[in-house]
Amino acid sequence: MVRKTFKSMEDFAKACGVSRPTVAKYFSNPLDLKSATRRRIETVLKQSDFEPNSFVRHLNSKVVRNIGIIIPTIYDPFFAQFVSHIESSLRERGFWSIQISSQTRPDLEEEAVRRMLEFGVAGAIVAPLGNQSRPGVFDSLKNAVPTVSFDVPLGDDVPFVSNDHREGITTMVQYLCRSGEPPVLLEGPNLSDNALIRQDGYRDAMRAEEHEPIIINCDLEPSWELERVGYEQMRRLLAGGDLPGRTFLCSNDRLAFGVMTAASETGLKIGREPGDDLRVAGHDDHPLSRYVWPPLTTMAQDTDAIAHETVYQLIELLDAEALGITVPPRRMRIRSTLMMRKSA
């Protein structure tokens, strides 16, 4: 049977014998119509290939179903993981996402906020640039629609979901100290307060293990090219000829990739076997961590749990707004998992 084709919602409505607003109401919520009207529309629908544009449905619905997502970059697969989980969780609840990357630029982050307000999103999920964000850049957004942040907080008035950075670093320090010599912490640029939380956690964990903390701070210009930063940091240390230790804990996996490359170029062997020259560990479980050589020992953030909790808190805010009640903002930090691999 040849399926009927309709060029517009008006043509489809005419074939059903109903008005265009009635068809729009059906695609917004079929239960709003009488059963006889629903059957008329569904009969024609089964015989055709008609599917109204989702944006048209959105315009014809009193309930906005679009959620804005702002992230620092799509270049990093780590954020791509988060967005993928967030989109899936939103879709399960009948929402669609509009995603904008600030491309690690404060001016584009500010522009992203303006665009979300123009789109009239029902709510927003934001991973801010952190210390590079312009002051108050998200004020207009969080005052206009329910907003939740992940990875980096937006303030005490906004719900926030993140990895438990202190717990993760503590677990890694304990593992490295008890399986070999204590680690030196190699820092990257201070792009957000997460770096400071991890640094404090490292200090406390090292002292608890009765070792003196050794931190190599980053003196390079702030940059999101973290692999390059780790590479240059390690090249400088190797050029000095006297490494401060033989176990390096990098504050994130992307720094560790650069460190491992620089060490390997000079002939050093990375691993935890007898005779290996260096142990290298990271934090985050970047999607490439298990595929570099040797595979990187790291702490795995539970990106799925963080994303689903972020969406849950946003839905909670949207429901509260519909009921005219106020929900106190909650903060949640989710534990990570030690991934023991060949690098340490």
Side-chain angles (χ1 to χ4, degrees), residues 190-236:
N190 184 15
L191 299 174
S192 75
D193 289 344
N194 291 339
L196 300 178
I197 294 172
R198 293 181 183 187
Q199 191 177 113
D200 287 343
Y202 166 79
R203 286 195 184 94
D204 292 344
M206 285 287 283
R207 288 169 181 149
E209 294 293 318
E210 300 183 345
H211 296 292
E212 189 63 29
I214 301 175
I215 299 175
I216 301 171
N217 289 307
C218 180
D219 57 0
L220 301 175
E221 287 292 320
S223 171
W224 284 78
E225 297 179 72
L226 300 175
E227 296 86 356
R228 176 183 61 80
V229 171
Y231 177 83
E232 292 183 5
Q233 289 270 82
M234 193 62 180
R235 291 288 293 185
R236 288 186 186 186

Side-chain angles (χ1 to χ4, degrees), residues 150-168:
F150 73 97
D151 192 50
V152 174
L154 279 182
D156 294 338
D157 57 336
V158 174
F160 170 59
V161 187
S162 175
N163 175 69
D164 191 336
H165 301 288
R166 174 177 285 275
E167 178 271 338

Side-chain angles (χ1 to χ4, degrees), residues 19 33 39 52 74 79 88 100 105 122 126 136 160 163 190-191 211 218 231-232 238 255 269-270 295 309-310 332 334:
S19 67
L33 301 179
R39 285 196 296 271
I74 57 173
F79 281 107
S88 296
I100 301 179
R105 287 172 46 183
V126 178
F160 170 59
N163 175 69
N190 184 15
L191 299 174
H211 296 292
C218 180
Y231 177 83
E232 292 183 5
L238 292 168
L255 286 172
K269 188 175 181 182
I270 299 168
E309 178 62 26
T310 300
M332 179 173 289
I334 295 174

Side-chain angles (χ1 to χ4, degrees), residues 1-191:
M1 183 181 71
V2 178
R3 298 179 68 81
K4 297 179 182 179
T5 299
F6 299 99
K7 295 182 179 179
S8 67
M9 189 178 287
E10 285 80 1
D11 290 343
F12 179 77
K14 186 176 180 180
C16 295
V18 299
S19 67
R20 184 183 183 282
T22 300
V23 171
K25 182 181 288 188
Y26 172 83
F27 285 111
S28 174
N29 187 356
L31 297 180
D32 283 346
L33 301 179
K34 295 179 179 179
S35 59
T37 305
R38 287 203 309 272
R39 285 196 296 271
R40 292 170 66 180
I41 294 173
E42 288 165 357
T43 298
V44 178
L45 194 60
K46 290 176 182 177
Q47 299 170 354
S48 73
D49 57 4
F50 181 72
E51 182 176 351
N53 181 279
S54 62
F55 186 64
V56 172
R57 271 185 274 167
H58 162 68
L59 291 177
N60 283 280
S61 172
K62 294 180 180 179
V63 180
V64 181
R65 309 299 292 180
N66 292 332
I67 301 296
I69 303 174
I70 301 176
I71 58 172
T73 175
I74 57 173
Y75 174 79
D76 189 339
F78 187 71
F79 281 107
Q81 269 191 333
F82 271 116
V83 171
S84 178
H85 291 317
I86 288 170
E87 285 183 334
S88 296
S89 187
L90 286 172
R91 194 176 298 114
E92 290 171 1
R93 293 164 171 80
F95 289 89
W96 295 93
S97 63
I98 299 174
Q99 177 196 321
I100 301 179
S101 163
S102 63
Q103 300 181 32
T104 71
R105 287 172 46 183
D107 60 322
L108 293 184
E109 185 175 63
E110 195 167 35
E111 180 181 294
V113 171
R114 292 197 299 270
R115 293 290 173 261
M116 289 302 179
L117 291 172
E118 290 172 1
F119 293 152
V121 294
I125 293 173
V126 178
L129 285 177
N131 296 333
Q132 292 182 303
S133 293
R134 291 175 176 172
V137 63
F138 291 102
D139 287 354
S140 58
L141 184 64
K142 65 185 185 182
N143 289 335
V145 298
T147 302
V148 178
S149 67
F150 73 97
D151 192 50
V152 174
L154 279 182
D156 294 338
D157 57 336
V158 174
F160 170 59
V161 187
S162 175
N163 175 69
D164 191 336
H165 301 288
R166 174 177 285 275
E167 178 271 338
I169 285 291
T170 298
T171 299
M172 180 60 78
V173 169
Q174 290 172 346
Y175 165 72
L176 293 174
C177 287
R178 298 171 190 183
S179 61
E181 72 170 36
V184 174
L185 180 67
L186 189 140
E187 280 284 16
N190 184 15
L191 299 174

